[in-house]
Amino acid sequence: MIQVIDLVKKFDQTVVLRHVSADFHDGKVNMIIGHSGSGKTVLMKTMIGLHTFEEGKIIYDLTYPHPTRKDVNDMNENEIQMLHREVGMLFQGSALFDSMTVLENVLFPLEMFSQMSKEERTERAMFCLRRVNMPEHALSLMPAKISGGMQKRVAIARAIVLQPKYLFCDEPNSGLDPKTSLVIDQLIHEITEEYQICTIVNSHDMNSIMEIGDNIIFLKNGEKKWQGSNKEIFHADNEDLDDFVFASNLFKKVKATNQ
Amino acid sequence: MIIKLASGVGQYLYLLKRVFRWPDRWRMFMRQFIAELDKQALQSLPIVFIISIFIGAIITIQGKTNTENPLLPAYTTGLLTRETLLLEFSSTILCLILAGKVGSNIASEIGTMRITEQIDAMEIMGVNSANYLILPKILALVLMMPFIVIISDAIGLLGGYGVAVLTDIITKEDYLYGIQYAFNPYYVTFGIVKSVVFAFIITSMSSFYGYHVRGGALEVGKASTTAVVNSSVTILLFDLILTKILL
């Protein structure tokens, strides 16, 4: 579980996150939603430690070196590095290493941090690649030679190969067609339930939100305006959320039907 | 301006602090190191060969033209070619050329990794990206630079010999006597010491500019240009300092 308490983040004098508090649960897909520029990516990157923050706390449940709960601000450089080994991340642009093949990309974290033998490493990487339905013939290809959907799947395989406790996904559907988006969403949902990890997805795709959003945090102008599940979203009495959710005609019709 | 410069130097030193640590995995480091030996050093050899042979030949021709004087002995041209190659060309001028080739390559490679979030991906995995990406580059070029300088010296002298053999500007005997006359081995050491410092400047500064790119493809191009310009100026500055100290 991750607890964000009263988080304030500024870039120079511009306040990007205004006293955001939210809980992110294990075994659930926790979604940060909002319009472009609402602070979703900044919140996610701040939670991972890629940005520093001015006020507040980000408390993680840690396993190494022993089970404990700790605020990111109280961690030293070594502890941050250990935390990162419990985190997997799926980047918006996949961020696969373009000098390595698909298989080498997934092997990379294992080669850096696991004590496994070469055979065990390959077996584990192949297992993860099969889990995300990567075809065997694509494993020796370079990332530039495979489709965007395949790149996302490889990135998911790489993110879960070290069996992380936390999986961060930054706009996993961006640049994908609706069918591939659905496949990626289902994959994220299955992996979250299967490994009981705390998954945090940053998205503004309503289909995705309705499909997998177990715990939704809605941001507007850097402020948390609403928190609930995808089942509650249509019945929420929140003008800002309505403005976001019912921006598309499709969801306006869904709302009308529900009423 | 001064604050910006001080802040830049601070960031550079902080990056170096992260670079010079024990690698997380030696096996991975060695793999990167061998790849960099090939990329930074071996792949630079063709340009080193071409430039050195031409410059050696050109110095010989121009040296002969400028020392056409009955008071100067015939071997002066060979002597001049050797001293120019050992003291300045094979260390400084060659490193300025490599700053263009290797420096822009490093800055654009690391810069592209930065803007496509590959470096962030490494950091999130818990990898010290500065150490993993930059240390093999620095060590590969620093280690190979003495060999590159020696090869450049030899090829440059060969270029001058080619002029002696193929033209009647200077005789082979005069040229060969000239390049051996009053030889001071310290000049070779001097050239190597300078080139090792320059190799460090090229790789570390180019990595620094690539590592701190923010934005898109345009910024990567700008970082690449800045890396080449600033490392070239720094090389010249250190050339002056080292020449004053070592000679």
Side-chain angles (χ1 to χ4, degrees):
Chain A
M1 183 181 168
I2 308 171
Q3 241 185 320
V4 173
I5 304 167
D6 223 14
L7 188 69
V8 176
K9 166 71 194 161
K10 291 178 190 170
F11 285 116
D12 297 324
Q13 293 309 308
T14 314
V15 184
V16 184
L17 296 175
R18 299 161 196 273
H19 302 280
V20 175
S21 297
D23 293 344
F24 299 85
H25 306 286
D26 292 344
K28 289 201 162 128
V29 177
N30 303 273
M31 295 193 94
I32 306 168
I33 67 168
H35 296 282
S36 300
S38 57
K40 303 187 296 291
T41 303
V42 176
L43 174 58
M44 182 176 270
K45 290 194 170 178
T46 309
M47 285 169 70
I48 307 164
L50 289 178
H51 292 318
T52 53
F53 53 95
E54 278 65 34
E55 285 175 42
K57 286 182 176 181
I58 301 171
I59 300 169
Y60 275 87
D61 285 343
L62 295 175
T63 319
Y64 298 108
H66 47 79
T68 177
R69 303 191 79 224
K70 205 159 190 183
D71 180 10
V72 173
N73 263 347
D74 297 334
M75 293 182 196
N76 58 34
E77 207 176 329
N78 200 32
E79 284 174 318
I80 293 274
Q81 213 167 3
M82 295 308 289
L83 167 68
H84 283 164
R85 289 180 195 179
E86 295 195 60
V87 167
M89 174 131 186
L90 171 61
F91 284 85
Q92 196 171 347
S94 298
L96 295 177
F97 305 130
D98 47 20
S99 59
M100 299 179 193
T101 64
V102 163
L103 181 61
E104 285 167 349
N105 261 283
V106 181
L107 277 170
F108 181 80
L110 292 169
E111 289 185 325
M112 288 304 286
F113 302 117
S114 82
Q115 300 300 325
M116 295 175 180
S117 66
K118 193 179 175 190
E119 289 72 29
E120 287 170 331
R121 289 199 301 267
T122 311
E123 201 178 307
R124 172 74 189 152
M126 294 293 283
F127 170 80
C128 291
L129 284 162
R130 277 195 294 268
R131 181 66 194 81
V132 297
N133 305 318
M134 275 301 288
E136 199 101 347
H137 70 84
L139 304 189
S140 57
L141 297 177
M142 302 306 272
K145 301 278 180 198
I146 59 176
S147 68
M150 277 191 182
Q151 288 183 8
K152 293 273 166 151
R153 281 190 268 162
V154 177
I156 293 174
R158 187 178 67 180
I160 62 168
V161 76
L162 283 175
Q163 295 176 294
K165 239 168 106 56
Y166 305 101
L167 177 64
F168 288 84
C169 306
D170 186 14
E171 308 220 6
N173 309 109
S174 75
L176 299 180
D177 63 81
K179 199 178 167 192
T180 313
S181 292
L182 193 63
V183 172
I184 297 295
D185 284 342
Q186 282 168 351
L187 198 55
I188 290 170
H189 198 245
E190 283 167 20
I191 285 167
T192 305
E193 286 201 334
E194 201 173 313
Y195 302 114
Q196 282 297 300
I197 52 182
C198 176
T199 299
I200 296 101
V201 178
N202 164 4
S203 180
H204 50 214
D205 178 356
M206 270 312 293
N207 291 324
S208 186
I209 294 162
M210 294 312 296
E211 187 69 29
I212 59 170
D214 298 324
N215 176 31
I216 299 166
I217 291 105
F218 172 65
L219 292 184
K220 188 177 180 186
N221 298 330
E223 258 182 273
K224 190 183 92 174
K225 294 286 186 178
W226 184 80
Q227 182 163 5
S229 72
N230 53 1
K231 292 179 184 70
E232 296 162 338
I233 203 163
F234 282 134
H235 310 292
D237 185 19
N238 186 307
E239 204 176 311
D240 292 320
L241 183 67
D242 281 359
D243 183 43
F244 173 77
V245 172
F246 303 113
S248 93
N249 284 332
L250 174 69
F251 285 96
K252 273 180 193 156
K253 282 176 191 165
V254 172
K255 189 181 187 187
T257 313
N258 280 352
Q259 282 168 347
Chain B
M1 169 81 178
I2 291 169
I3 291 170
K4 204 176 161 190
L5 183 72
S7 152
V9 171
Q11 277 186 315
Y12 174 70
L13 293 176
Y14 180 71
L15 180 71
L16 289 183
K17 190 182 153 216
R18 291 192 62 212
V19 168
F20 287 99
R21 289 194 178 171
W22 290 112
D24 289 320
R25 276 288 156 100
W26 281 99
R27 188 184 62 234
M28 298 292 277
F29 169 78
M30 285 311 292
R31 194 189 293 172
Q32 285 286 98
F33 178 66
I34 289 165
E36 294 300 337
L37 282 181
D38 175 50
K39 205 158 55 180
Q40 312 301 343
L42 297 182
Q43 287 183 24
S44 297
L45 286 181
I47 188 92
V48 171
F49 269 67
I50 293 167
I51 292 170
S52 302
I53 203 155
F54 275 93
I55 294 291
I58 291 161
I59 292 171
T60 306
I61 296 168
Q62 290 189 351
K64 182 65 186 171
T65 312
N66 288 293
T67 56
E68 204 80 73
N69 188 320
L71 295 175
L72 291 170
Y75 61 78
T76 309
T77 308
L79 177 68
L80 182 75
T81 305
R82 184 195 74 203
E83 301 295 62
T84 310
L85 286 170
L86 291 187
L87 289 172
E88 204 57 21
F89 173 74
S90 294
S91 49
T92 311
I93 307 298
L94 193 72
C95 281
L96 287 174
I97 293 162
L98 288 182
K101 185 193 173 291
V102 176
S104 63
N105 176 289
I106 291 175
S108 54
E109 181 192 319
I110 296 180
T112 305
M113 287 188 78
R114 168 63 77 192
I115 63 162
T116 54
E117 298 181 311
Q118 292 176 53
I119 292 180
D120 287 344
M122 276 186 192
E123 289 290 329
I124 283 167
M125 283 175 203
V127 177
N128 177 347
S129 60
N131 174 274
Y132 178 80
L133 292 172
I134 301 172
L135 186 63
K137 291 184 198 304
I138 293 177
L139 292 186
L141 198 64
V142 164
L143 200 78
M144 290 306 283
M145 194 50 103
F147 299 102
I148 294 175
V149 168
I150 290 167
I151 289 168
S152 169
D153 286 334
I155 299 289
L157 291 173
L158 201 66
Y161 185 69
V163 170
V165 171
L166 299 171
T167 70
D168 55 0
I169 292 172
I170 180 175
T171 66
K172 279 188 293 185
E173 291 72 25
D174 285 341
Y175 179 77
L176 289 174
Y177 183 75
I179 63 171
Q180 292 170 77
Y181 181 77
F183 175 62
N184 182 356
Y186 176 70
Y187 286 0
V188 178
T189 313
F190 171 67
I192 288 173
V193 169
K194 278 203 306 181
S195 68
V196 166
V197 174
F198 299 158
F200 179 79
I201 290 169
I202 295 169
T203 45
S204 62
M205 284 188 70
S206 306
S207 301
F208 169 75
Y209 285 107
Y211 199 82
H212 288 96
V213 168
R214 291 284 179 273
L218 193 68
E219 280 75 16
V220 173
K222 277 184 193 167
S224 183
T225 309
T226 313
V228 173
V229 171
N230 288 1
S231 49
S232 299
V233 172
T234 312
I235 284 172
L236 291 172
L237 179 70
F238 273 82
D239 188 28
L240 186 70
I241 295 168
L242 290 173
T243 304
K244 181 77 184 72
I245 294 171
L246 298 174
L247 273 190

